[in-house]
C-alpha cells in the first residue's frame, strides 16, 4: 500500500473502520433530502448524501440508508418518494431534516405534492419516483427509485457535505 499520513487514532475503531471514516469525511457529497408518507399519513424524511444516478433510460436513482434509521419504517413500505436537491440557501432545511425526527416537518418549509407526498419549498429541484427495489446489505438498504416527474426551483450554488460541514463548491479549475 502507498505511504500515507497516519490516521488519527481511535482506540475503539479497527483500522478498516478508521480508514473508511477518514476517507469518506474527505469525499465531498451533494446534499439531498428524501421524503415520503408514513402508513398513517404523516410526512417522513431525512437528509442524505448517498444519492446517485443509476441510469438515464429508464431514469433510475438510488440512495442508501440504515435500516435502524427513524425513517426506514416508512421507506420500507412506501410506494413513492420525493428526492430533493439542496442548494446553499437550503442549508437550514437540510439541517432540520437531519435533526430530531419529531421536528422535521414543523414549519412552512414543505407542502403536499404529487400523491400527497411532502415536497420541500425553495429547493433547486425535486423528483418524484416509484420505489422499484430495496436491497438489504448488512444493516442497511440500497433503495432504487424510478423517476416519474418533478420540478425545478431557483438555481443556486450546490450544497455539499465535506469534512462534517456543509459547504458550497469552491473555485472552478
Amino acid at each position: 500500500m502507498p505511504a500515507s499520513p497516519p490516521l488519527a487514532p481511535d482506540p475503539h475503531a479497527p483500522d478498516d473502520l478508521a480508514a473508511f471514516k477518514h476517507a469518506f469525511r474527505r469525499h465531498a457529497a451533494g446534499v439531498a433530502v428524501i421524503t415520503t408518507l408514513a402508513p398513517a399519513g404523516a410526512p417522513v424524511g431525512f437528509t442524505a448524501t448517498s444519492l446517485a444516478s443509476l441510469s438515464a433510460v429508464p431514469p433510475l436513482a438510488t440512495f442508501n440508508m440504515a435500516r435502524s434509521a427513524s425513517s426506514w419504517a416508512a421507506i420500507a413500505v412506501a410506494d413513492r418518494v420525493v428526492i430533493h436537491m439542496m442548494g446553499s440557501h437550503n442549508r437550514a432545511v437540510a439541517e432540520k431534516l437531519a435533526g430530531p425526527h419529531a421536528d422535521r416537518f414543523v414549519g412552512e418549509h414543505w407542502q403536499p405534492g404529487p400523491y400527497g407526498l411532502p415536497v420541500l419549498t425553495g429547493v433547486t429541484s425535486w423528483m418524484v419516483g416509484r420505489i422499484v427495489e430495496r436491497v438489504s446489505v448488512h444493516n442497511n438498504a440500497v433503495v432504487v427509485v424510478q423517476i416519474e416527474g418533478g420540478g425545478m426551483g431557483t438555481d443556486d450554488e450546490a450544497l455539499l457535505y465535506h469534512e462534517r460541514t456543509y459547504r458550497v463548491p469552491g473555485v472552478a479549475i
Side-chain angles (χ1 to χ4, degrees), residues 37-57:
L37 293 172
V44 174
F46 61 97
T47 300
T49 57
S50 63
L51 180 67
S53 165
L54 182 59
S55 77
V57 180

Side-chain angles (χ1 to χ4, degrees), residues 24-34 46-53 62-64 83-88 90-91 94-95 98 124-125 127 156-169:
F24 275 96
R25 267 196 5 227
R26 297 258 168 105
H27 176 72
V31 179
V33 169
I34 313 299
F46 61 97
T47 300
T49 57
S50 63
L51 180 67
S53 165
T62 66
F63 62 89
N64 311 327
I83 300 169
H84 306 82
M85 307 304 195
M86 307 303 276
S88 65
N90 301 124
R91 178 183 176 166
E95 289 174 333
T124 61
S125 63
M127 304 175 288
D156 190 12
E157 290 288 327
L159 184 61
L160 303 176
Y161 195 73
H162 179 254
E163 289 283 354
R164 296 188 254 177
T165 302
Y166 290 103
R167 302 176 183 267
V168 296

